[in-house]
Amino acid sequence: MKRFVLMALTLCLVLTCTTAFAGKIDDIKARGALVCGVKDSVVPFGYVDQASSQLVGFDVDICRAIAKELGVELQLKTVTSSTRIPMVVNGQIDIAAATMTHKHARDEVIDFSITYFMDGQKLLVAKDSGIKSAADLAGKKVATVKGSTSEKNIKNAQPKARVLSFDEYPQAFLALKQGKAVAVTTDSTILLGLKNSAPDPSKWEIVGEYIAAEPYGLGIAENDSDFRDLINKTLNDLWRSGEYQKIYNKWFGKDSNYYLPLTWQMELWP
């Protein structure tokens, strides 16, 4: 009797695991669309284009390439730094492509792709502020976004700073413009987007050494190795074919408003 019960439990476990592991790709293809969570106010990763009123950006194009590999349409949903992980966990999105740093603590909740973008955290300040690094922020207010790694990193880098956390980066930049904070801190590319999207970019500058490295990963639900492998292979194929570099240069190349030389190498598998 015990042997029969053990066999039955084992069979149930196998069936449950099979459903869990094989479900995502099948669900996406049955739906006919890959649902990607992207930000709508982080230039040039994910933002609303004024001319078309459509969500565009580097993260959007990466999601579009994965959808193409799957042979499905791309459906976009807006996320923030606070909502992106819960929306992955709850199944509201298939992928979070949302300037998300891959951290061990986050690995306890969701899984990640290999690094698809590399950045580091810096400061955006007024040119005449005299602020050159986190050391200059003692006793001063610095703005960032709720639920971001930047929020934790700046507290570690300068414990004497007063951190003001907002829902979105444009709100943090507005606090800087209004004199409610002396700096905005986050990844340098996001700061570059804020600076160069302003009516008067010359008033602002990005300063300091990297406060922390920010390797971005695509967030997906845990325990779906088939889906993760497909994403990683797609990223590798994009890099090897040169398509990744085309997407990168579209948003960060010399002819863009957000020039950032591509100086890192994606992890490539044989």
Side-chain angles (χ1 to χ4, degrees):
M1 182 65 180
K2 288 182 179 180
R3 183 179 179 184
F4 175 77
V5 171
L6 181 59
M7 290 176 63
L9 289 172
T10 302
L11 178 60
C12 288
L13 181 60
V14 169
L15 291 173
T16 301
C17 289
T18 300
T19 302
F21 279 89
K24 182 58 72 175
I25 293 176
D26 291 341
D27 287 348
I28 292 169
K29 290 187 174 181
R31 187 195 307 136
L34 174 71
V35 183
C36 274
V38 299
K39 294 184 175 179
D40 65 355
S41 60
V42 180
V43 180
F45 288 95
Y47 65 101
V48 178
D49 177 59
Q50 292 184 353
S52 65
S53 299
Q54 299 295 312
L55 273 171
V56 298
F58 176 81
D59 280 341
V60 175
D61 285 352
I62 292 295
C63 284
R64 185 171 287 111
I66 297 171
K68 182 179 178 180
E69 177 66 23
L70 284 161
V72 298
E73 298 296 319
L74 175 62
Q75 181 180 337
L76 300 173
K77 285 190 177 182
T78 301
V79 301
T80 67
S81 293
S82 298
T83 64
R84 57 195 174 185
I85 290 178
M87 288 178 72
V88 169
V89 173
N90 295 333
Q92 295 170 270
I93 55 177
D94 301 316
I95 297 175
T99 64
M100 183 159 54
T101 303
H102 187 176
K103 297 181 66 178
H104 288 300
R106 288 173 175 165
D107 254 331
E108 297 177 1
V109 185
I110 61 173
D111 281 341
F112 283 86
S113 71
I114 58 174
T115 297
Y116 76 103
F117 191 92
M118 179 63 72
D119 200 3
Q121 183 177 343
K122 290 193 174 185
L123 303 171
L124 176 65
V125 299
K127 270 197 173 178
D128 58 358
S129 69
I131 295 171
K132 299 300 178 185
S133 70
D136 299 321
L137 294 174
K140 295 181 174 66
K141 296 177 182 178
V142 56
T144 189
V145 163
K146 298 174 185 175
S148 66
T149 54
S150 303
E151 187 180 36
K152 295 179 181 178
N153 292 339
I154 192 61
K155 290 178 181 178
N156 291 332
Q158 181 46 272
K160 294 182 180 179
R162 181 179 173 188
V163 179
L164 306 179
S165 297
F166 296 87
D167 290 327
E168 302 286 354
Y169 287 109
Q171 296 171 358
F173 191 25
L174 181 60
L176 173 60
K177 292 175 179 177
Q178 294 177 338
K180 296 177 181 177
V182 299
V184 176
T185 186
T186 187
D187 310 340
S188 67
T189 42
I190 298 176
L191 296 178
L192 186 63
L194 293 173
K195 173 182 178 291
N196 289 356
S197 297
D200 46 2
S202 61
K203 288 181 60 177
W204 314 100
E205 63 179 345
I206 299 169
V207 300
E209 298 295 324
Y210 282 142
I211 294 170
E214 303 288 354
Y216 292 176
L218 301 171
I220 61 173
E222 285 198 298
N223 300 328
D224 197 335
S225 60
D226 288 343
F227 188 40
R228 186 175 64 249
D229 287 348
L230 181 143
I231 293 171
N232 288 338
K233 183 179 184 302
T234 301
L235 291 173
N236 270 208
D237 290 346
L238 289 173
W239 187 279
R240 286 194 172 98
S241 70
E243 186 62 26
Y244 178 94
Q245 291 80 355
K246 289 180 182 178
I247 295 172
Y248 186 93
N249 288 332
K250 174 182 175 181
W251 299 104
F252 301 103
K254 289 183 178 180
D255 296 329
S256 74
N257 291 327
Y258 315 101
Y259 179 51
L260 185 73
L262 182 58
T263 58
W264 65 281
Q265 172 75 29
M266 184 180 289
E267 176 188 354
L268 299 177
W269 301 349

